[in-house]
PDB file of all heavy atoms in Angstrom:
ATOM      1  N   SER O 301      94.663  97.565  57.394  1.00 95.00           N
ATOM      2  CA  SER O 301      94.036  96.999  56.197  1.00 95.00           C
ATOM      3  C   SER O 301      92.580  97.424  56.002  1.00 95.00           C
ATOM      4  O   SER O 301      92.092  97.479  54.865  1.00 95.00           O
ATOM      5  CB  SER O 301      94.109  95.467  56.234  1.00 95.00           C
ATOM      6  OG  SER O 301      93.418  94.959  57.366  1.00 95.00           O
ATOM      7  N   ARG O 302      91.890  97.707  57.078  1.00 93.00           N
ATOM      8  CA  ARG O 302      90.484  98.092  56.994  1.00 93.00           C
ATOM      9  C   ARG O 302      90.349  99.523  56.477  1.00 93.00           C
ATOM     10  O   ARG O 302      90.983 100.441  57.009  1.00 93.00           O
ATOM     11  CB  ARG O 302      89.830  97.973  58.376  1.00 93.00           C
ATOM     12  CG  ARG O 302      88.405  98.513  58.490  1.00 93.00           C
ATOM     13  CD  ARG O 302      87.430  97.700  57.709  1.00 93.00           C
ATOM     14  NE  ARG O 302      86.056  98.040  58.057  1.00 93.00           N
ATOM     15  CZ  ARG O 302      85.008  97.753  57.293  1.00 93.00           C
ATOM     16  NH1 ARG O 302      85.170  97.109  56.142  1.00 93.00           N
ATOM     17  NH2 ARG O 302      83.795  98.080  57.686  1.00 93.00           N
ATOM     18  N   ARG O 303      89.538  99.729  55.450  1.00 92.00           N
ATOM     19  CA  ARG O 303      89.383 101.053  54.851  1.00 92.00           C
ATOM     20  C   ARG O 303      87.976 101.595  55.111  1.00 92.00           C
ATOM     21  O   ARG O 303      86.986 100.955  54.784  1.00 92.00           O
ATOM     22  CB  ARG O 303      89.658 100.994  53.346  1.00 92.00           C
ATOM     23  CG  ARG O 303      91.114 100.691  53.019  1.00 92.00           C
ATOM     24  CD  ARG O 303      91.371 100.597  51.529  1.00 92.00           C
ATOM     25  NE  ARG O 303      92.796 100.447  51.269  1.00 92.00           N
ATOM     26  CZ  ARG O 303      93.633 101.456  51.104  1.00 92.00           C
ATOM     27  NH1 ARG O 303      93.179 102.702  51.159  1.00 92.00           N
ATOM     28  NH2 ARG O 303      94.919 101.254  50.874  1.00 92.00           N
ATOM     29  N   GLN O 304      87.933 102.776  55.683  1.00 92.00           N
ATOM     30  CA  GLN O 304      86.673 103.460  55.970  1.00 92.00           C
ATOM     31  C   GLN O 304      86.944 104.959  56.049  1.00 92.00           C
ATOM     32  O   GLN O 304      87.982 105.390  56.598  1.00 92.00           O
ATOM     33  CB  GLN O 304      86.083 103.010  57.304  1.00 92.00           C
ATOM     34  CG  GLN O 304      85.500 101.607  57.302  1.00 92.00           C
ATOM     35  CD  GLN O 304      84.110 101.565  56.707  1.00 92.00           C
ATOM     36  OE1 GLN O 304      83.119 101.845  57.361  1.00 92.00           O
ATOM     37  NE2 GLN O 304      84.038 101.205  55.433  1.00 92.00           N
ATOM     38  N   GLY O 305      86.041 105.776  55.547  1.00 89.00           N
ATOM     39  CA  GLY O 305      86.118 107.211  55.745  1.00 89.00           C
ATOM     40  C   GLY O 305      87.089 107.914  54.814  1.00 89.00           C
ATOM     41  O   GLY O 305      87.597 107.350  53.848  1.00 89.00           O
ATOM     42  N   GLY O 306      87.340 109.164  55.142  1.00 86.00           N
ATOM     43  CA  GLY O 306      88.167 110.005  54.289  1.00 86.00           C
ATOM     44  C   GLY O 306      87.311 110.813  53.330  1.00 86.00           C
ATOM     45  O   GLY O 306      86.072 110.876  53.440  1.00 86.00           O
ATOM     46  N   ASP O 307      87.939 111.407  52.373  1.00 85.00           N
ATOM     47  CA  ASP O 307      87.255 112.208  51.362  1.00 85.00           C
ATOM     48  C   ASP O 307      86.300 111.304  50.572  1.00 85.00           C
ATOM     49  O   ASP O 307      86.722 110.337  49.949  1.00 85.00           O
ATOM     50  CB  ASP O 307      88.298 112.819  50.422  1.00 85.00           C
ATOM     51  CG  ASP O 307      87.684 113.786  49.408  1.00 85.00           C
ATOM     52  OD1 ASP O 307      86.451 113.753  49.221  1.00 85.00           O
ATOM     53  OD2 ASP O 307      88.443 114.545  48.794  1.00 85.00           O
ATOM     54  N   PRO O 308      84.990 111.619  50.556  1.00 89.00           N
ATOM     55  CA  PRO O 308      84.027 110.760  49.854  1.00 89.00           C
ATOM     56  C   PRO O 308      84.255 110.704  48.347  1.00 89.00           C
ATOM     57  O   PRO O 308      83.750 109.800  47.679  1.00 89.00           O
ATOM     58  CB  PRO O 308      82.678 111.395  50.188  1.00 89.00           C
ATOM     59  CG  PRO O 308      82.986 112.783  50.597  1.00 89.00           C
ATOM     60  CD  PRO O 308      84.333 112.743  51.247  1.00 89.00           C
ATOM     61  N   LYS O 309      85.022 111.649  47.833  1.00 90.00           N
ATOM     62  CA  LYS O 309      85.319 111.644  46.405  1.00 90.00           C
ATOM     63  C   LYS O 309      86.533 110.783  46.070  1.00 90.00           C
ATOM     64  O   LYS O 309      86.849 110.592  44.891  1.00 90.00           O
ATOM     65  CB  LYS O 309      85.562 113.074  45.929  1.00 90.00           C
ATOM     66  CG  LYS O 309      84.355 113.984  46.078  1.00 90.00           C
ATOM     67  CD  LYS O 309      84.676 115.397  45.603  1.00 90.00           C
ATOM     68  CE  LYS O 309      83.469 116.321  45.784  1.00 90.00           C
ATOM     69  NZ  LYS O 309      83.805 117.698  45.344  1.00 90.00           N
ATOM     70  N   ALA O 310      87.209 110.304  47.102  1.00 92.00           N
ATOM     71  CA  ALA O 310      88.422 109.496  46.911  1.00 92.00           C
ATOM     72  C   ALA O 310      88.206 108.119  47.525  1.00 92.00           C
ATOM     73  O   ALA O 310      87.243 107.889  48.263  1.00 92.00           O
ATOM     74  CB  ALA O 310      89.613 110.199  47.551  1.00 92.00           C
ATOM     75  N   PRO O 311      89.069 107.175  47.213  1.00 92.00           N
ATOM     76  CA  PRO O 311      88.955 105.851  47.844  1.00 92.00           C
ATOM     77  C   PRO O 311      89.037 105.964  49.363  1.00 92.00           C
ATOM     78  O   PRO O 311      89.721 106.840  49.908  1.00 92.00           O
ATOM     79  CB  PRO O 311      90.157 105.088  47.277  1.00 92.00           C
ATOM     80  CG  PRO O 311      90.472 105.780  45.995  1.00 92.00           C
ATOM     81  CD  PRO O 311      90.156 107.226  46.216  1.00 92.00           C
TER      82      PRO O 311
END
Side-chain angles (χ1 to χ4, degrees):
S301 61
R302 172 68 167 161
R303 292 178 174 271
Q304 288 280 277
D307 186 344
K309 297 179 181 179

